[in-house]
Amino acid sequence: MQTRATPATAAPLGRFNTAPAAEAALTLLACLHSHAWTHRLVAHRPYPDLPALLAAADEAAYDLSPDDLTEALAAEPRPALPEDTYAAAHTALNAAHAAYESRFGHVFAICLAGLSPDETLNHVLTAIRSRLNNEPDEERLVAAEELRQLAKTRLANAL
């Protein structure tokens, strides 16, 4: 009898599926700090494969209430810049973050998956400047979408 190779993600997903609920919740909260999102994903374990888990995470993120979104945004760190970014860029970005946080009351959330370190700074500065023109309700929708993308990326990386 011939055995099939299992995908590299099978072991981490298996551990996630069988971990105690509190341990699985910690993994999820590191991806998106929403207790409602986390509870929903933990409650629906086991997942047959990583795409099924990512689809469930996506769906649960779409269902975040305004309070859940506020909770997630409150815990979201600022996007990190590459280590070799020059000081003037940090100054410009810090000013843009301060303006954004003053206008919207929460940190600027953006998914940078797939960008090279050379593209990161320009992408963040362009996006934050553009999004400062959004109305608060429109920006919450954009921020929620960015959080959804961040959660999927972090979850895929974690597992």
Side-chain angles (χ1 to χ4, degrees):
M1 182 188 328
Q2 194 174 25
T3 59
R4 288 182 27 193
T6 58
T9 58
L13 181 62
R15 284 192 297 275
F16 173 79
N17 279 333
T18 59
E23 185 180 319
L26 288 176
T27 298
L28 293 168
L29 285 169
C31 299
L32 179 67
H33 195 87
S34 165
H35 286 87
W37 181 81
T38 296
H39 176 74
R40 182 169 165 182
L41 292 175
V42 169
H44 288 96
R45 292 179 308 156
Y47 295 93
D49 53 32
L50 186 58
L53 173 57
L54 294 177
D58 216 28
E59 182 181 328
Y62 277 121
D63 293 340
L64 291 177
S65 72
D67 288 343
D68 299 332
L69 181 57
T70 297
E71 175 189 27
L73 285 168
E76 188 63 28
R78 285 183 173 180
L81 291 179
E83 288 182 26
D84 62 346
T85 303
Y86 53 95
H90 282 283
T91 302
L93 193 57
N94 285 337
H97 277 294
Y100 181 93
E101 291 169 14
S102 174
R103 175 154 165 71
F104 298 114
H106 58 79
V107 71
F108 176 71
I110 188 166
C111 184
L112 301 171
L115 292 177
S116 72
D118 293 341
E119 298 172 301
T120 301
L121 176 62
N122 257 357
H123 187 75
V124 171
L125 280 171
T126 300
I128 201 167
R129 287 177 180 149
S130 171
R131 287 169 53 187
L132 274 166
N133 295 318
N134 289 346
E135 292 299 318
D137 288 343
E138 178 186 6
E139 181 53 27
R140 279 187 74 83
L141 292 173
V142 174
E145 176 62 21
E146 292 293 335
L147 283 176
R148 188 179 68 77
Q149 293 297 329
L150 281 165
K152 281 179 36 179
T153 300
R154 291 170 181 160
L155 189 52
N157 290 339
L159 299 179

